[in-house]
Amino acid sequence: MFTTATTNIDRRMAEIVEKVKQGERLTLEDGVYLYESDDLLTIGQLANEVNLRKNGKKVYFIENMSLYFTNICESHCAFCNFRKDQGEEGSYTLSGEEMIAYVEQHITPGVREFHIVGGHNQHVPFQYYVDSLKALNDRFPDITLKAYTAAEIEFFTRISGLSTKEVLTELQKAGLKSLTGGGAEILSDQYREKMKVEKANVDQYLDVHRTAHKLGMKTHTTMLYGSIESHEDRIRHMIQIRELQDETGGFMVFIPLSMQPRNKNAGIMRRNSAYEDLKTIAISRLMLDNIQHIKAYFINIGVQLTQVALTFGASDVHGTILKEQISHAAGALTPDGLTRKELVWLVKGAGRIPVERDTFYNEVQVYE
């Protein structure tokens, strides 16, 4: 029998509890109510119940490596501290051979995925991005290429003159197997205008993933929260993802990304609270009933809070990563990667079962 953590919940919360018990879909109004409620324990317990139904006590991770071919970018998004202008100190554009040399220097045994994102570098042609993947695929054919955000794909259509389908097809020929989730930020064109998100708009972001799904790719998706958006903006974001998932079934995981303050020395008032992070993960689990996994991203919320998030609806802790740059350029204080042993420890410490996976959530090893 499902019981709530708090004994005196109000009528509105009781209605939502009953919906969750019956497996009914939550509405926009339900989601906004949950954000405005201070009953974090009940929200967390509801999310935990949903996650246990979907995934049991298994929590997934992957041995992967983050790669960044270029940090030169035409966009000037207000929240980004990773981008550089051409010729600016610290800017770079790596060739395929240079990236292979970097990988060979830093790769660890067991890596099965390259997570590849970067700037929208208008000083190189689309073929550069194709050749970058091909070089990696030729040298490391057994490692899955999860590459580029939907915003990068939209950028590629502009510099190449090709359609979204044509761009994705060319990248697939070079070895692309899945898209990363970045570039979503908040799926509101008003938000994107205020935050100077000078890249794919809402319809373009969704259409790239729709097209990828139609081409047989399974992809990832994100939400960057904690700046100017309202609670309603966040829930509308989730609902748009949920509706596309109803249409295509192509999303494997939803990743709430906690906004970083662009300065490692920023005080706690410039960072999202643990309360807000846990509530967002839990509400994501409750709203996105048709997506199998919700990720707790330790890079943004920290290792110990990630452990707690595993009882607030999260079933994935990402991966080893190895030298993450984007969140750390924006002021993240967390480790830039973890080892397999540390990830197993993290999950077991939360009373869950660690499962090493591949990109597509096929189980590689269960650590009972």
Side-chain angles (χ1 to χ4, degrees):
M1 177 68 68
F2 179 78
T3 57
T4 59
T6 50
T7 55
N8 295 312
I9 63 173
D10 62 26
R11 180 188 59 81
R12 189 75 180 84
M13 183 66 83
E15 291 172 354
I16 292 175
V17 169
E18 187 61 26
K19 275 189 171 184
V20 173
K21 285 173 63 176
Q22 299 302 322
E24 294 180 25
R25 174 162 283 185
L26 300 188
T27 65
L28 170 68
E29 292 75 19
D30 292 333
V32 172
Y33 171 83
L34 291 174
Y35 259 120
E36 293 175 352
S37 169
D38 62 1
D39 192 354
L40 180 63
L41 292 181
T42 294
I43 296 168
Q45 191 171 7
L46 285 172
N48 187 52
E49 174 74 11
V50 171
N51 181 47
L52 289 174
R53 288 181 202 164
K54 285 182 174 291
N55 301 298
K57 289 195 170 185
K58 290 182 175 180
V59 173
Y60 295 81
F61 71 90
I62 188 170
E63 284 224 52
N64 64 348
M65 187 173 185
S66 293
L67 303 180
Y68 311 87
F69 273 93
T70 181
N71 63 353
I72 295 170
C73 190
E74 66 170 9
S75 299
H76 298 77
C77 302
F79 47 78
C80 182
N81 209 38
F82 172 76
R83 70 161 307 281
K84 300 287 184 183
D85 289 321
Q86 177 90 318
E88 183 180 350
E89 183 179 356
S91 65
Y92 63 85
T93 302
L94 302 181
S95 67
E97 292 73 21
E98 288 171 321
M99 183 58 80
I100 287 169
Y102 171 86
V103 171
E104 289 178 336
Q105 180 181 357
H106 296 285
I107 196 168
T108 58
V111 166
R112 61 185 70 255
E113 175 190 276
F114 291 139
H115 177 106
I116 303 166
V117 293
H120 300 188
N121 187 343
Q122 71 274 37
H123 302 286
V124 293
F126 171 56
Q127 192 61 42
Y128 163 82
Y129 295 95
V130 176
D131 291 343
S132 296
L133 293 191
K134 189 175 186 305
L136 284 175
N137 195 51
D138 288 347
R139 175 63 183 82
F140 305 100
D142 297 327
I143 297 180
T144 300
L145 300 185
K146 182 181 76 177
Y148 306 135
T149 67
E152 286 174 277
I153 299 300
E154 188 277 329
F155 167 69
F156 297 159
T157 67
R158 288 189 281 111
I159 63 173
S160 68
L162 300 174
S163 68
T164 300
K165 182 178 179 180
E166 289 169 334
V167 163
L168 289 169
T169 299
E170 288 302 305
L171 293 171
Q172 283 182 306
K173 290 177 184 176
L176 179 68
K177 294 298 191 294
S178 179
L179 297 182
T180 69
E185 323 315 355
I186 294 293
L187 292 175
S188 157
D189 285 327
Q190 183 180 28
Y191 166 95
R192 298 169 99 75
E193 182 178 354
K194 288 182 178 179
M195 292 295 287
K196 299 181 180 179
V197 183
E198 299 171 344
K199 52 188 177 185
N201 63 30
V202 173
D203 288 341
Q204 289 168 333
Y205 178 90
L206 294 171
D207 186 63
V208 167
H209 282 280
R210 179 182 293 108
T211 304
H213 297 167
K214 289 179 178 179
L215 289 172
M217 274 195 276
K218 297 291 187 179
T219 67
H220 309 68
T221 189
T222 62
M223 179 180 75
L224 182 66
Y225 65 92
S227 58
I228 64 168
E229 81 282 354
S230 66
H231 290 154
E232 183 173 333
D233 288 334
R234 296 183 194 177
I235 299 300
R236 288 190 182 279
H237 177 111
M238 295 177 198
I239 289 174
Q240 289 179 87
I241 295 299
R242 189 172 73 184
E243 288 173 347
L244 181 54
Q245 182 74 344
D246 281 342
E247 177 186 338
T248 67
F251 289 122
M252 296 180 287
V253 59
F254 180 77
I255 310 155
L257 296 174
S258 186
M259 178 78 79
Q260 302 301 302
R262 298 189 66 180
N263 185 344
K264 290 183 183 296
N265 297 319
I268 60 171
M269 293 173 63
R270 295 279 307 280
R271 299 177 183 274
N272 286 327
S273 68
Y275 181 91
E276 190 76 2
D277 290 332
L278 287 176
K279 184 181 278 191
T280 297
I281 287 169
I283 293 173
S284 299
R285 178 65 285 165
L286 293 170
M287 293 299 300
L288 295 166
D289 52 62
N290 56 359
I291 293 182
Q292 190 70 23
H293 298 286
I294 303 297
K295 184 175 292 185
Y297 190 45
F298 72 84
I299 288 291
N300 283 23
I301 67 172
V303 172
Q304 290 168 310
L305 192 61
T306 293
Q307 287 183 307
V308 179
L310 300 183
T311 54
F312 277 71
S315 59
D316 187 282
V317 292
H318 197 58
T320 51
I321 301 175
L322 297 179
K323 300 185 181 298
E324 193 279 338
Q325 293 182 23
I326 292 177
S327 291
H328 284 85
L333 301 175
T334 53
D336 61 6
L338 293 175
T339 66
R340 182 202 289 121
K341 287 184 178 180
E342 287 171 329
L343 287 167
V344 169
W345 171 88
L346 184 157
V347 174
K348 285 188 173 181
R352 300 296 164 115
I353 302 169
V355 180
E356 186 175 353
R357 61 172 175 87
D358 67 9
T359 300
F360 307 102
Y361 287 85
N362 297 307
E363 295 184 4
V364 175
Q365 184 172 350
V366 178
Y367 295 83
E368 294 284 4

